[in-house]
Amino acid sequence: MTITRQDKDVTRALQGLQDARSSVRLRAALAVGTTPDPRFVDTLIERCAIEPEFLVRDMLTWALTRHPTSMTVPDLVREVRSERAQARSQALHTLSKIGDRQAWPAITRALLSDADDEVARSAWRAAVVLVPEGEESALATVLATQLGRGERETQLSLSRALVALGEVIVPALRAGTTASDPFVRAHALATQRLLRDPDAGFEFAIEEAKRAVALGGSGQEGQ
């Protein structure tokens, strides 16, 4: 059987994705995305689960978005149930970039509250992109259960996801401002501020909210 030039290119690209040098893996992912081929999909998804370099992972995701959704989405949906945190996180990230709402049922409450912050953050972003019309309020209620979680970067990710849903988040945030946990109250207040004034900046909003909570106020005075 004659080996075609295309077959050789595919073999070279697949080998490049496994190379020890990140620069080679990056170029291989770029090549794969530039000339999509069904034979690449499994390897791209497998590599996403173990790739240590952020830039390479991002290129792997881009390469996957260049392939038909009928080939990528089912495998990515299975990947979000992986025991490996990076596999879940990167699959969710890729689903958010593809934007196919057929993947919505895969965004479970368990993923939205995943113990791994990176997985949870990816799930929040994916949920906001994939949520069907009419289900935004229910999603906001679930996301609000994560208020006060994690460090500043994680809290910012949650606030951005909530704000992206728009005014439907108001009742959930209002409930958060009366929570017994001061971290939850402060985060809810900061997110309220960002909803009203997106240009305020999260650092300013959270520090202002913390002061309000420390002083014993609800942060709702004068509103």
Side-chain angles (χ1 to χ4, degrees):
M1 179 181 293
T2 302
I3 299 176
T4 67
R5 178 180 177 82
Q6 184 180 31
D7 288 335
K8 290 181 179 179
D9 289 343
V10 168
T11 299
R12 187 181 302 110
L14 291 173
Q15 291 174 340
L17 291 172
Q18 313 294 334
D19 197 275
R21 295 161 292 179
S22 62
S23 60
V24 175
R25 298 196 304 276
L26 184 66
R27 288 196 299 271
L30 175 60
V32 167
T34 302
T35 56
D37 187 296
R39 289 171 288 183
F40 293 138
V41 173
D42 287 346
T43 301
L44 287 170
I45 292 176
E46 290 168 5
R47 189 67 208 176
C48 281
I50 60 174
E51 173 55 52
E53 298 292 334
F54 171 78
L55 288 177
V56 179
R57 290 199 304 274
D58 223 32
M59 190 65 77
L60 292 168
T61 283
W62 173 77
L64 282 165
T65 67
R66 298 272 295 159
H67 289 77
T69 58
S70 60
M71 295 166 47
T72 58
V73 170
D75 287 347
L76 290 167
V77 165
R78 283 192 291 272
E79 197 74 352
V80 303
R81 298 191 290 269
S82 170
E83 293 183 1
R84 192 192 297 266
Q86 183 173 307
R88 298 197 302 278
S89 176
Q90 199 65 23
L92 287 162
H93 174 66
T94 305
L95 286 171
S96 74
K97 294 299 183 183
I98 292 172
D100 187 336
R101 286 184 169 176
Q102 292 185 70
W104 168 247
I107 312 299
T108 62
R109 191 181 186 112
L111 283 172
L112 293 170
S113 58
D114 197 283
D116 186 280
D117 283 346
E118 278 301 316
V119 175
R121 290 170 60 193
S122 295
W124 300 338
R125 290 191 293 267
V128 169
V129 172
L130 301 175
V131 61
E133 187 175 350
E135 295 191 34
E136 295 90 349
S137 181
L139 174 59
T141 299
V142 175
L143 291 180
T145 66
Q146 302 302 297
L147 286 167
R149 170 180 173 162
E151 300 299 325
R152 194 62 54 88
E153 190 174 5
T154 298
Q155 293 189 5
L156 173 58
S157 291
L158 181 60
S159 290
R160 283 175 171 167
L162 283 163
V163 169
L165 292 174
E167 293 296 324
V168 298
I169 70 172
V170 169
L173 291 181
R174 188 178 297 120
T177 64
T178 62
S180 59
D181 187 329
F183 294 104
V184 173
R185 294 204 305 276
H187 195 183
L189 289 169
T191 307
Q192 279 186 333
R193 175 63 185 264
L194 288 179
L195 180 63
R196 295 194 309 269
D197 181 10
D199 295 327
F202 185 74
E203 290 294 330
F204 174 80
I206 194 69
E207 291 304 324
E208 183 181 66
K210 284 181 177 179
R211 285 194 294 271
V213 170
L215 291 172
S218 66
Q220 307 296 317
E221 296 83 356
Q223 294 184 33

